[in-house]
Amino acid sequence: QVQLVESGGGLVQPGGSLRLSCSAANRIFSFKVMAWYRQAPGKQRALVASITAGGEKNYAESVKGRFTISKDARLSTWFLQMNSLKPEDTAVYYCFGGLGSVASWGQGTQVTVSS
């Protein structure tokens, strides 16, 4: 498995922005699919956004128009730009990378939206 390292979580007020980053630790690895999931207390982990190596993007309805997923040219780092954050966006965010039988998860980063 490929170890993934996340950064960028934190506490932000409603309407604010955060940018999450995910990268493969100590190596360059070209995933076929890169994604962000989130898990709020008492809820199941759910897909937030995904992007393929070819650049095709997919978003959960609840974040469309507010969140943007992107990746770097080497496909070993990807990002989630989160704008107009709402209290209901509060969750632990996990990055995911997949290629064939390789499915790697980050350790999770807390995002808290509160005034």
Side-chain angles (χ1 to χ4, degrees):
Q1 295 298 322
V2 179
Q3 182 181 359
L4 300 181
V5 179
E6 302 167 0
S7 62
L11 173 65
V12 64
Q13 293 186 342
S17 298
L18 284 175
R19 189 189 196 212
L20 306 183
S21 300
C22 180
S23 61
N26 302 318
R27 62 183 295 187
I28 295 174
F29 190 87
S30 297
F31 290 105
K32 184 176 182 180
V33 177
M34 294 141 280
W36 290 94
Y37 287 74
R38 68 185 180 187
Q39 188 168 18
K43 295 187 177 181
Q44 290 187 331
R45 191 174 298 188
L47 177 68
V48 176
S50 64
I51 185 169
T52 67
E56 183 177 348
K57 301 179 183 181
N58 182 51
Y59 295 95
E61 284 295 327
S62 60
V63 306
K64 282 183 179 178
R66 300 188 298 121
F67 291 11
T68 302
I69 189 169
S70 61
K71 57 179 175 62
D72 76 355
R74 297 182 303 174
L75 305 180
S76 59
T77 303
W78 55 104
F79 312 92
L80 186 68
Q81 178 67 43
M82 305 185 292
N83 299 327
S84 302
L85 282 160
K86 304 175 181 180
E88 51 264 43
D89 295 319
T90 295
V92 178
Y93 285 70
Y94 299 88
C95 65
F96 168 84
L99 174 64
S101 61
V102 175
S104 297
W105 291 91
Q107 79 282 2
T109 185
Q110 177 69 46
V111 171
T112 302
V113 185
S114 176
S115 55

